[in-house]
């Protein structure tokens, strides 16, 4: 009985989240495709032609995995952050907290919605990329696993951001001052092996480096870091962020006035 109730609750939250971003698809799905096209034109065609090869591949092929991953990260994070904060601001979240369903269902529902948007945008960006470069696939399972774990990681991060946020402006602080710099310094546009030894060490502190490189390995078969280490980092972040989200929701921190 309880498992059936939990499944219905999870399905309801997940459906609501998916319908939410699909209803305004022009705002949620189209902009990433346009943005990524501009990246390909500017960094791929114009700048890439002067850079030449990187890691044994032409520059445009090299940056494709990073650009796809950048879209997945941004959309997974922003979807949950804006949706959960809206529910908190409208007091809808209080109804979920008093409902006879465990808190993990709430977390899984919102995170699942963020993952759905992130992975859907990733698929759209991949299709757009095919108009600019011949997509190669070295290991499809590495690609699927990496994109799923990465979208889950940043969906959880967006949930935690929304829990702490006190206004709509607060949900843009982390993406602007932390997420964006880490993404651009995460090896999207370059190989960290080109950096001086000191900065290579600094780059290894950036978790996005591991996500981008694991994803790039799935496409091109090359990576600046160990694939095993990349998955280990992703696993640690998912477990840590999930634990934090569960503690915050269970204690009602930032949710109960």
């Amino acid at each position: 009985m309880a498992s059936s109730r939990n499944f219905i609750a999870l399905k309801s939250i997940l459906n609501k989240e998916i319908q939410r971003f699909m209803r305004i698809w022009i705002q949620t799905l189209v902009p990433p495709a346009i943005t990524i096209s501009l990246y390909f034109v500017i960094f791929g065609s114009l700048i890439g032609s002067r850079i030449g090869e990187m890691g044994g591949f032409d520059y445009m092929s090299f940056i494709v995995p990073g650009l796809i991953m950048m879209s997945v990260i941004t959309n997974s994070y922003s979807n949950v952050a804006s949706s959960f904060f809206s529910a908190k601001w409208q007091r809808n979240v209080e109804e979920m907290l008093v409902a006879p369903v465990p808190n993990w269902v709430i977390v899984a529902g919102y995170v699942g919605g963020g993952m759905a948007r992130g992975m859907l945008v990733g698929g759209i960006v991949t299709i757009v990329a095919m108009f600019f470069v011949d997509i190669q696939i070295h290991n499809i399972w590495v690609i699927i696993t990496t994109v799923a774990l990465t979208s889950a990681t940043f969906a959880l991060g967006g949930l935690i951001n929304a829990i702490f946020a006190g206004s709509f402006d607060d949900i843009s602080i982390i993406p602007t001052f932390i997420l964006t710099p880490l993404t651009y310094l995460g090896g999207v546009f370059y190989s960290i092996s080109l950096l001086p030894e000191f900065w290579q060490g600094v780059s290894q502190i950036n978790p996005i480096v591991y996500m981008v490189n694991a994803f790039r390995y799935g496409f091109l078969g090359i990576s600046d870091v160990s694939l095993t280490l990349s998955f280990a980092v992703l696993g640690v972040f998912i477990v840590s962020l999930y634990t934090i989200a569960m503690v915050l929701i269970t204690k009602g921190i930032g949710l109960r006035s």
Side-chain angles (χ1 to χ4, degrees), residues 8 13 15 23 107 120 150 170 200 228 248 257:
I8 293 173
I13 297 174
N15 285 340
R23 188 168 55 248
V107 174
L120 179 57
T150 301
D170 291 341
Q200 287 186 38
T228 302
L248 292 175
S257 56

Side-chain angles (χ1 to χ4, degrees), residues 146 149-150 152-154 156 203-214 225-241:
T146 304
L149 293 177
T150 301
T153 298
F154 285 94
L156 284 165
S203 295
Q204 291 177 12
I205 303 174
N206 183 353
I208 295 180
V209 165
Y210 299 93
M211 302 170 191
V212 169
N213 274 278
V225 295
S226 165
L227 190 63
T228 302
L229 180 58
S230 296
F231 285 133
V233 169
L234 278 164
V236 168
F237 267 87
I238 288 176
V239 171
S240 301
L241 293 175

Side-chain angles (χ1 to χ4, degrees), residues 29-37 40 64-72 75 118-132 135:
L29 303 181
V30 174
I34 296 174
T35 301
I36 216 69
S37 298
F40 280 126
V64 163
L67 292 175
I68 296 172
M69 184 56 69
M70 188 166 64
S71 299
V72 171
N75 285 273
M119 296 174 73
L120 179 57
V121 168
I124 293 172
V125 170
T126 302
I127 294 172
V128 172
M130 291 179 179
F131 290 96
F132 296 90
I135 297 290

